[in-house]
Amino acid sequence: MIATHETQIYRNDASELKVQDREKLLKPYLPKKPLKAPRKSKSQPIRKFLMTQLHFLIFTTMHILFSLYIRLRQTFHIVIDRIFAILYYHHRAPELIKQDIRGLERIPQHLSVILELKAEEQGLAGLEKLLDDVAEISAWCSGAGIPMLSVYERTGILKDHIQRTHRVVCSKLHSYFGRQVPTLQIQAPHVPSFLNGDEFERSSSVAGHLSILLLSEGDGRATLVDLTKTLTEMSQRNKLSAADVSLDLIDAEISESVMTEPDLLIVFGPYVKLQGYPPWQVRLTEIYHSQDNCGVGYQVFLGALYNFAKAQMKFGR
């Protein structure tokens, strides 16, 4: 604060003070002089160029090493699959399939698979390949004693050809079992089932029974949405109280309208991609896939059964 004497002098007659005196009085209250701005460093194009090339070299090296690792891993899995395909080939003989799984402590009672109709296989050729895959898996399940098979294909093209699917599967079962083929039933949610429609199937049922359920994307989350709407409408009409809605009720309704929960789900692909598979039915399901595998193969099917037999099922309370 300005001294009292100086303040009094300034108030009495500011003109008596010289310029230097007035500057001296105000100098303590003036802001400090700004610091000088730092000088910009001179550009170094050579250094920037070298750093860019170094980063590019590191990036390229990482990509080369990763690509090499992927190629080696794929080659290893291809060789292993070929070896297992030779050692454990079924030769279309149910006896050999039973011999391959003889040492397993348990097998799934409901097996589910995910198949994909690829974009490059659209048309009649793609459908024929898809039907042949379904028929092969069906024959393997019959030989292994699995009574229930559910096949998920996202587009639902199999559901549009149930009768044709039944005919192809029956023909494949006949090539495996001869005339003693198991009875066969093919069905789909909200679609009439097709049972005993082939001449081979009428011969005998000594080989057991196989049920095939065809699923599509519409049987997944859309079913949960429809069930939610139905329960909401029933609650609004006082036909159902909120206390009656439980997990057991939802599970019973979905199991009746779509399917029960499978024990084992096989993804015939290089990684686990459910593609819209019904989410409610895979809560406790064992999911299996073979790394770098891109097709339906008996060695993948057999590996899934061995993995299921060794799996430990731990259910929470």
Side-chain angles (χ1 to χ4, degrees):
M1 192 171 183
I2 302 175
T4 307
H5 176 68
E6 295 174 345
T7 304
Q8 190 64 31
I9 295 174
Y10 185 81
R11 288 179 179 178
N12 292 336
D13 189 1
S15 60
E16 295 181 359
L17 296 175
K18 297 180 180 181
V19 177
Q20 293 79 4
D21 296 334
R22 290 197 295 269
E23 291 179 356
K24 187 177 180 181
L25 290 174
L26 297 177
K27 187 175 182 180
Y29 306 99
L30 294 177
K32 296 181 180 180
K33 294 182 179 180
L35 298 175
K36 295 182 179 180
R39 295 180 179 179
K40 294 183 179 180
S41 60
K42 297 181 179 179
S43 58
Q44 300 176 351
I46 298 178
R47 183 177 179 180
K48 289 184 178 180
F49 175 77
L50 293 177
M51 292 299 295
T52 303
Q53 296 302 316
L54 178 61
H55 294 162
F56 180 76
L57 178 62
I58 295 175
F59 180 77
T60 305
T61 305
M62 291 176 59
H63 270 262
I64 293 175
L65 294 177
F66 184 74
S67 300
L68 182 62
Y69 161 74
I70 293 296
R71 293 299 181 185
L72 291 176
R73 192 189 69 184
Q74 291 176 346
T75 304
F76 172 77
H77 287 145
I78 290 174
V79 173
I80 294 297
D81 288 343
R82 292 294 179 269
I83 293 175
F84 276 96
I86 295 173
L87 296 178
Y88 295 96
Y89 187 64
H90 50 76
H91 296 282
R92 294 193 174 187
E95 295 79 11
L96 293 180
I97 298 177
K98 292 179 180 179
Q99 182 179 351
D100 290 338
I101 65 170
R102 183 175 300 172
L104 300 183
E105 298 180 357
R106 57 177 179 175
I107 59 173
Q109 296 301 304
H110 181 184
L111 174 67
S112 186
V113 298
I114 296 179
L115 302 180
E116 182 179 2
L117 181 63
K118 298 181 180 179
E120 61 271 15
E121 297 177 351
Q122 296 289 345
L124 184 60
L127 178 60
E128 290 291 342
K129 183 179 183 304
L130 191 63
L131 291 174
D132 185 69
D133 290 339
V134 174
E136 286 287 351
I137 298 173
S138 302
W140 301 339
C141 288
S142 297
I146 300 174
M148 180 68 182
L149 170 65
S150 56
V151 181
Y152 176 84
E153 195 281 320
R154 185 182 61 82
T155 63
I157 190 173
L158 292 176
K159 297 171 67 174
D160 299 332
H161 299 83
I162 291 184
Q163 186 173 356
R164 186 175 181 180
T165 304
H166 189 281
R167 184 169 61 252
V168 173
V169 173
C170 284
S171 178
K172 185 69 68 173
L173 291 177
H174 177 66
S175 67
Y176 273 74
F177 291 88
R179 298 195 62 85
Q180 303 296 325
V181 297
T183 56
L184 176 66
Q185 180 183 13
I186 297 183
Q187 55 188 341
H190 316 298
V191 177
S193 61
F194 201 80
L195 175 66
N196 296 342
D198 190 271
E199 60 179 356
F200 303 124
E201 193 179 1
R202 300 192 195 104
S203 57
S204 177
S205 60
V206 177
H209 175 77
L210 177 64
S211 296
I212 300 178
L213 179 64
L214 304 179
L215 302 171
S216 65
E217 189 176 20
D219 301 318
R221 297 181 180 180
T223 302
L224 289 175
V225 174
D226 294 339
L227 177 61
T228 303
K229 291 180 179 179
T230 302
L231 295 177
T232 302
E233 293 176 357
M234 294 179 64
S235 178
Q236 291 176 348
R237 297 175 183 176
N238 296 326
K239 295 183 179 180
L240 183 71
S241 64
D244 296 331
V245 180
S246 62
L247 292 177
D248 294 335
L249 175 62
I250 297 175
D251 185 64
E253 292 294 332
I254 293 180
S255 299
E256 182 178 355
S257 60
V258 182
M259 68 171 181
T260 57
E261 189 169 3
D263 302 316
L264 175 63
L265 172 62
I266 303 178
V267 181
F268 288 100
Y271 47 85
V272 177
K273 184 179 180 182
L274 299 183
Q275 304 180 33
Y277 189 91
W280 187 270
Q281 282 80 357
V282 291
R283 296 173 300 162
L284 303 175
T285 300
E286 184 73 18
I287 301 177
Y288 178 85
H289 86 289
S290 180
Q291 197 174 34
D292 298 324
N293 175 72
C294 295
V296 175
Y298 178 69
Q299 67 278 6
V300 179
F301 172 81
L302 196 60
L305 296 185
Y306 273 84
N307 183 79
F308 176 79
K310 296 184 296 183
Q312 296 182 359
M313 304 296 179
K314 297 181 180 180
F315 304 102
R317 295 182 178 179

